[in-house]
């Protein structure tokens, strides 16, 4: 099974790129994040031979799964907390997770909260969200694949300059410890097959052209064996590209 994850950074803006990617990548499942649209606004890709499921509430966040190997038991809930910047208001669940069964494998497309700043309530929310994900993973299906934009660089080598991130999110010990709980729950980070390659380059300061990126788009699996993985850097090139590149992993289902 070939599974790809891609933070598309507005699917309506990049619908043609998604269609081209599906045509040439030969993926069985494509997980999208940051679609930035409601369910009603999400483009119809079913003419490509893929079934689709989308969860979007506003013009931000939003996640989707496109599958040509089946799509059933769609859910948005793994027990994750909600968030509102007004902590006295109801903490509504955001459109950051969608899961479905694809040919016997439970696949989740995940857009982990950014965290914003270390002392921001969003950072605490991020850690709580990841802890609930780890709890779900520990007791979840035997064949499980968690993919998406995790907004954490697992190691110092996954950022172009560790000094640039001093005092910032994405690299803190607490975030990395929360992410590591997925492996403690019995999952394997399939994207470790990719060596010395980033997945995100900020639009500012010509980061992509300078090779100044970070690796935050990841895939974790159980009951699958990753045999090959790559970053499609070509999708970060040219006019109208997302600031993330697709990450593609080939799996042998155990």
């Amino acid at each position: 099974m070939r599974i790809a994850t891609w933070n598309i950074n507005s699917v309506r803006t990049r619908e043609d790129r998604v269609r081209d990617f599906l045509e040439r990548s030969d993926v069985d499942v494509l997980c999208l994040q940051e679609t930035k649209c409601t369910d009603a606004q999400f483009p119809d890709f079913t003419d490509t031979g893929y079934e689709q499921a989308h969860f979007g509430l506003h013009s931000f966040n939003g996640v989707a799964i496109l599958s040509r190997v089946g799509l059933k038991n769609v859910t948005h809930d793994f027990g994750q907390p909600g968030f509102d910047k007004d902590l006295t208001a109801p903490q509504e669940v955001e459109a950051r997770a969608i899961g479905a069964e694809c040919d016997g494998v439970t696949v989740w497309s995940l857009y982990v909260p950014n965290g914003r700043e270390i002392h921001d309530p969003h950072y605490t929310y991020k850690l709580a969200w990841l802890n609930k994900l780890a709890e779900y993973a520990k007791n979840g299906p035997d064949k499980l694949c968690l993919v998406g934009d995790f907004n954490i660089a697992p190691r110092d080598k996954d950022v172009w300059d560790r000094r640039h991130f001093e005092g910032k999110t994405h690299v803190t010990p607490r975030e990395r410890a929360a992410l590591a709980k997925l492996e403690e729950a019995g999952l394997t980070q399939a994207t470790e097959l990719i060596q010395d390659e980033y997945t995100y380059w900020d639009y500012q300061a010509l980061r992509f052209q300078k090779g100044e990126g970070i690796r935050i788009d990841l895939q974790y699996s159980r009951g699958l064996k990753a045999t090959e993985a790559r970053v499609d850097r070509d999708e970060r090139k040219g006019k109208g590209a997302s600031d993330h590149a697709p990450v593609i992993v080939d799996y042998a289902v155990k």
Side-chain angles (χ1 to χ4, degrees):
M1 181 180 289
R2 177 171 290 175
I3 299 177
T5 181
W6 190 5
N7 180 319
I8 195 64
N9 192 12
S10 179
V11 68
R12 289 179 292 169
T13 301
R14 300 180 172 86
E15 178 179 350
D16 289 343
R17 280 183 174 261
V18 173
R19 289 181 172 277
D20 290 344
F21 178 79
L22 290 173
E23 184 176 349
R24 64 181 173 76
S25 64
D26 196 33
V27 295
D28 296 303
V29 181
L30 171 61
C31 294
L32 299 173
Q33 302 86 41
E34 209 172 356
T35 58
K36 294 185 176 180
C37 66
T38 65
D39 291 345
Q41 296 169 325
F42 188 75
D44 185 358
F45 293 105
T46 56
D47 61 305
T48 64
Y50 288 79
E51 297 178 75
Q52 64 183 52
H54 177 261
F55 180 34
L57 300 172
H58 310 286
S59 59
F60 46 90
N61 300 330
V63 283
I65 300 176
L66 308 182
S67 172
R68 67 179 185 185
V69 293
L71 189 68
K72 61 183 182 179
N73 299 325
V74 176
T75 179
H76 310 142
D77 181 15
F78 61 79
Q80 70 269 40
F83 180 78
D84 191 290
K85 61 183 178 181
D86 179 359
L87 299 181
T88 65
Q91 304 295 291
E92 301 292 343
V93 171
E94 299 181 303
R96 293 184 174 274
I98 187 169
E101 188 176 327
C102 305
D103 195 22
V105 178
T106 300
V107 180
W108 281 87
S109 178
L110 304 168
Y111 181 38
V112 176
N114 178 280
R116 299 177 185 168
E117 302 290 341
I118 294 174
H119 300 294
D120 192 292
H122 208 260
Y123 180 80
T124 303
Y125 164 54
K126 179 180 190 175
L127 297 177
W129 203 95
L130 285 164
N131 285 336
K132 284 295 184 181
L133 181 63
E135 288 180 17
Y136 163 80
K138 183 178 180 179
N139 302 299
D142 292 336
K143 296 178 181 177
L144 177 64
C145 199
L146 306 179
V147 312
D149 178 357
F150 283 79
N151 272 314
I152 299 172
R155 307 162 299 183
D156 283 353
K157 65 183 292 185
D158 295 321
V159 299
W160 61 274
D161 186 346
R162 179 63 178 81
R163 294 168 298 178
H164 177 79
F165 292 88
E166 196 64 41
K168 300 177 182 178
T169 61
H170 292 52
V171 298
T172 65
R174 294 183 69 190
E175 290 169 292
R176 287 176 171 174
L179 187 63
K181 288 181 180 179
L182 294 178
E183 295 181 70
E184 295 169 12
L187 278 67
T188 300
Q189 189 195 144
T191 36
E192 284 192 339
L193 291 173
I194 302 169
Q195 297 296 322
D196 303 321
E197 183 63 275
Y198 303 129
T199 65
Y200 165 83
W201 301 259
D202 197 302
Y203 289 129
Q204 304 298 319
L206 297 175
R207 295 291 186 208
F208 182 68
Q209 291 81 353
K210 295 176 181 177
E212 297 175 348
I214 58 179
R215 189 173 77 97
I216 56 176
D217 300 273
L218 311 169
Q219 298 199 23
Y220 289 84
S221 64
R222 177 173 59 224
L224 311 172
K225 180 176 175 57
T227 58
E228 187 175 350
R230 66 184 179 89
V231 177
D232 188 350
R233 292 184 78 258
D234 288 342
E235 277 296 345
R236 182 57 178 82
K237 300 176 181 178
K239 184 179 180 180
S242 170
D243 44 5
H244 294 250
V247 177
I248 306 166
V249 180
D250 289 340
Y251 292 98
V253 181
K254 296 179 182 179

